[in-house]
Each structure stands twice: as structure tokens, then as C-alpha cells.
Amino acid sequence: MFQDPQGAIPKGTMLAILITTVAYVGVAICAAACVVRDATGNVNDTVVYGMNCNGSSACALGYDFSSCKAQTCGYGLMNNFQALCKDNIYRALHFFAKGYGRNNEPIRGYILTFFIAMAFILIAELNTIAPIISNFFLASYALINFSCFHASYAKSPGWRPAFRYYNMWVSLFGAMLCCGVMFVINWWAALITYAIELFLYIYVTYKKPEVNWGSSAQALYYVTAIDRALELTTVDDHVKNFRPQCIVLTGGPMARPALLDITHSFTKNNGLCICCEVYTGPRKLCVKEMNSGMATKQAWLTKNKRKAFYAAVAADSFRDGVKSLLQASGLGRMRPNTLVLGFKKDWRDSTAVQVENYMGIIHDAFDFEFGVIIVRISQGFDISQALQVQEELKKLEQERQALEATIKESGCEEGNY
């Protein structure tokens, strides 16, 4: 849109403020110039032809605004709302997301605006309407100023203001000033405005819509996490503060959920827990499979309210992969100190190399100064076969529903003929 947005936007903003200021001052002068200086007792005090101007500049310039009462006077942003409706944050407003024409005009939004404007006009009490409108305008200005401050404070990479005189503390002062002026104008209107804003914020926080705006809050979470992790590096070890921080060899977390649950039973959901999986085989295929499943498996942990991270590596052998995880997992003081793995039930039927790798993993953990926990239950931990059967049944059910829908559509078409 702009060849130089960083320079054009601040200049355009300042120019718009200047032009608006001149326009408002001009309107004030014109409004003051079209009435007599002293009250006459007449309902209409506008300057008409033949009336003494009393020094008014309206007569000198040839203006007569009294005609605006009898006929049309010759003097004189819904797209953001549509985008909000399309995000489906407030489901009741999704009706207004539809656009019309080549420019996707929000006609429904225009109609809504018309009725809102008519409702305020029909109140016919300017002294009642003005505080409410002014407070909502000030609230929007306060939020914009605070957003600028918060984006700067969070050091968001996407926020790079190039305006020479920009300062985040000025933005914060502007937000506080707007909030204070709201109460100066009308305290009850300010309370109503704050109540509405608080309700909308709580609603969005509770509903958690699946919309990713790249907000400054996300940037602040990241910066805070980095700062806290760095602060942890200065904390000395002490037996009272020891926490088991575990690498759990679950493979895919949904394949051995019981092993993860047992780990949580002694970490009390407060220690670091990393579910690890090792892919062996051709490197290219392993990396592709690993990358495609990372988000899904972490999402499974989040959905099932497991406080754990998912990590995976591709290696030539299972032992080499575990060795890489033991050396590279964690960050600063948030590094694992305990290896959790299941007991190898099939050691009688396994090859000598497989048994050697399993024992080698235990020795490697001790070499890297890890604690080792080997968990054994009679029926084993691996439920991947049951998950595979469940997935196949799910696919068959989907195919059955698709076939029924096709048969139903074919029957409707034959009935029409």
C-alpha cells in the first residue's frame, strides 16, 4: 500500500490530526459567527438577511445557516467490525460478517449502525448522549495507547515503530489520561463503559476462540519465560528444592499414557516432564514423520491436561537417540535429572543387540549422572495396537456415514425425476 510505511503512516497521522484540528476550529468559528452576540428572545437566533450582524463574520462572508433547518444543508469504519465478526469471537455477531459486492461491503453492519444511530437520535437528549459516546471514544483511545505500550514492553518483533518521537511511557500516560478524563466527564458513564469492556474481556478469555492474532500478550509470555529461566540459573542447588525432572520414554504420549501418569504421581505435576520418542530408519522419512506429528502429540498432552512437553529425535539406533536426548534436553536449570522407562518384557524373544541397547541406555543415563526409574506392570504399558484398532474403526465409521449420505442424495435425485 505504501512505498515507505514507516515514514508515511506517522506523517499521515500527524497531518490528519492537524487537518481535523483546523476543521474543528473552523466549525466552532462558523457556529459562533452565525448567531447574534446577545440573546434576543427569539427561538431562532441564526443570522438572516437584513438582520444586524453585530460584528459577526458570517454576514461579512455571506453565510446563512438558517436554511439548514428547512432544507438539506450544503456545508459540511465498518470493515474492522466485519473482520471481528469473521473471527467469530462473539458468535452472536457472526451474522454481520457477510459482505456484498466486489468490495465485500458489510451492508448488514451499515444497517446495524443505522439503527444504533437512530436509537441515540430518538433519545433527543444531547446532554445524556454525549457523556456515553465520549466515554466510549476515550475508552477506545485508552486501549489503543495501552496496546502500543504493551507491544513495546513485551518487545514484540512485529512492533517496530519508526516515529522518531515515539516513547512507550508516553503511550501509557495517554492511556491513563484517557481513563481519568472518562471519570471527569461522567463517572457513571465511565463505570458502565468499564463494565462492558470487562464483560467482553472475560467472555473472550473464557471462550478462548481459535484465533491467533500474534498478540503482545503472547510476546510477553515468551519474554517472561526467558527472564525467569535465566534467573533460575543463579539459584544454587539445595536438597529442600530438589525436584525430579524427568525424561519419559513413552514414544508417542498416547501410546503409553500409564507410564506418563505414574511419572506425574511422583512429580506431583510440578516438575519438568518430557515425553520422548526416537525415530529410527532412513533419515529423510524419519524426519518427515517426526515433524508432521510434533504439533499433534503436544496438542494431545494439552487436551488431556498432562503437564508435559513432547520431544522427538531421529537417530540411527534407539540407543543413539536416547543418548542425544539425555545430553541436549532442557534449558538452563530446567534440565532433566531422571530417566523413566518401562521394563523390557520381551527380553527373552529380543535379539542380543536389542537387549544390549536397552542395557546400554541405562548405563548411559548413569554416565550422564541421571537417576533411573524402571517401571513394570503385568500387562505392560504399550497400547498402540488398541489405538490402531480404534483408528481403523473410526475410519470405517466415517466411510459408512459417507456412503449413507451418498445413497440418501441419490434417492432424493431419483425422487425428483
Side-chain angles (χ1 to χ4, degrees):
M1 294 177 66
F2 300 104
Q3 293 182 352
D4 183 20
Q6 293 184 347
I9 292 175
K11 291 178 181 177
T13 303
M14 298 303 295
L15 186 61
I17 293 172
L18 178 62
I19 293 173
T20 305
T21 303
V22 172
Y24 279 144
V25 171
V27 169
I29 293 174
C30 291
C34 69
V35 296
V36 295
R37 194 175 293 273
D38 298 319
T40 62
N42 296 328
V43 175
N44 182 13
D45 273 343
T46 53
V47 178
V48 295
Y49 180 77
M51 180 181 289
N52 185 11
C53 292
N54 294 331
S56 172
S57 59
C59 289
L61 296 174
Y63 289 111
D64 182 11
F65 294 103
S66 62
S67 60
C68 296
K69 185 176 181 180
Q71 59 187 17
T72 303
C73 193
Y75 309 100
L77 295 169
M78 293 303 298
N79 290 48
N80 290 333
F81 178 70
Q82 186 183 26
L84 178 68
C85 297
K86 285 182 177 179
D87 286 339
N88 203 20
I89 299 170
Y90 305 106
R91 296 185 179 181
L93 300 178
H94 189 66
F95 173 79
F96 301 99
K98 184 175 177 58
Y100 297 88
R102 290 174 53 188
N103 297 326
N104 198 30
E105 293 290 340
I107 303 298
R108 296 177 179 179
Y110 294 147
I111 296 173
L112 175 65
T113 306
F114 169 78
F115 282 108
I116 293 175
M118 285 298 298
F120 278 99
I121 292 171
L122 291 174
I123 294 175
E125 286 290 341
L126 185 60
N127 291 333
T128 304
I129 299 169
I132 300 174
I133 296 176
S134 299
N135 270 281
F136 275 103
F137 270 113
L138 285 168
S140 65
Y141 298 150
L143 290 173
I144 291 171
N145 277 288
F146 183 77
S147 297
C148 293
F149 164 76
H150 198 268
S152 299
Y153 182 76
K155 298 179 178 62
S156 177
W159 174 250
R160 301 184 296 275
F163 184 53
R164 182 181 303 175
Y165 303 106
Y166 170 77
N167 187 286
M168 68 175 186
W169 299 108
V170 175
S171 298
L172 179 61
F173 175 74
M176 296 173 64
L177 190 63
C178 289
C179 294
V181 172
M182 289 172 64
F183 282 96
V184 172
I185 292 175
N186 192 303
W187 67 269
W188 58 262
L191 290 177
I192 292 174
T193 306
Y194 281 126
I196 294 173
E197 288 182 347
L198 184 62
F199 170 76
L200 296 176
Y201 175 76
I202 293 174
Y203 177 84
V204 173
T205 304
Y206 177 75
K207 287 294 184 181
K208 295 181 180 179
E210 296 180 0
V211 180
N212 186 6
W213 296 301
S215 64
S216 59
Q218 295 172 341
L220 185 61
Y221 294 156
Y222 178 84
V223 172
T224 303
I226 293 293
D227 291 340
R228 296 296 178 267
L230 290 172
E231 289 176 5
L232 275 175
T233 60
T234 63
V235 178
D236 296 330
D237 290 327
H238 195 280
V239 66
K240 293 180 181 178
N241 295 325
F242 173 81
R243 295 178 185 273
Q245 302 185 136
C246 302
I247 285 181
V248 189
L249 299 183
T250 58
M254 63 283 290
R256 295 175 178 84
L259 184 60
L260 180 58
D261 291 338
I262 290 173
T263 305
H264 280 317
S265 68
F266 58 79
T267 63
K268 302 299 182 183
N269 278 338
N270 291 320
L272 176 67
C273 186
I274 306 176
C275 297
C276 296
E277 185 171 8
V278 178
Y279 289 86
T280 58
R283 180 60 60 89
K284 190 173 182 179
L285 294 176
C286 287
V287 171
K288 184 178 180 181
E289 183 182 359
M290 178 179 69
N291 292 337
S292 63
M294 292 285 285
T296 303
K297 291 169 183 177
Q298 184 62 56
W300 184 90
L301 290 169
T302 304
K303 182 180 178 182
N304 290 274
K305 298 181 179 180
R306 304 296 207 281
K307 289 187 178 181
F309 299 96
Y310 173 77
V313 293
D316 295 330
S317 68
F318 183 69
R319 181 179 179 182
D320 290 340
V322 175
K323 192 183 295 184
S324 299
L325 291 167
L326 291 172
Q327 295 179 83
S329 297
L331 184 68
R333 292 294 304 277
M334 297 179 62
R335 295 179 62 84
N337 52 31
T338 306
L339 174 66
V340 181
L341 69 164
F343 180 79
K344 189 172 181 61
K345 289 182 60 178
D346 60 346
W347 62 273
R348 294 179 182 273
D349 302 324
S350 300
T351 63
V353 175
Q354 291 174 332
V355 175
E356 183 181 354
N357 283 338
Y358 181 81
M359 297 301 299
I361 290 170
I362 299 173
H363 286 293
D364 292 337
F366 288 137
D367 290 340
F368 294 128
E369 298 182 351
F370 273 67
V372 177
I373 298 176
I374 302 175
V375 186
R376 181 181 184 182
I377 57 176
S378 57
Q379 64 270 33
F381 291 103
D382 192 358
I383 61 169
S384 55
Q385 292 183 352
L387 292 175
Q388 186 176 359
V389 172
Q390 185 178 356
E391 189 67 25
E392 291 176 357
L393 291 174
K394 186 177 179 181
K395 288 181 180 178
L396 290 173
E397 180 66 19
Q398 291 175 350
E399 291 176 359
R400 184 187 66 80
Q401 291 177 357
L403 182 61
E404 288 180 354
T406 304
I407 294 173
K408 188 175 180 180
E409 290 177 0
S410 300
C412 293
E413 292 177 358
E414 291 178 358
N416 293 332
Y417 288 114

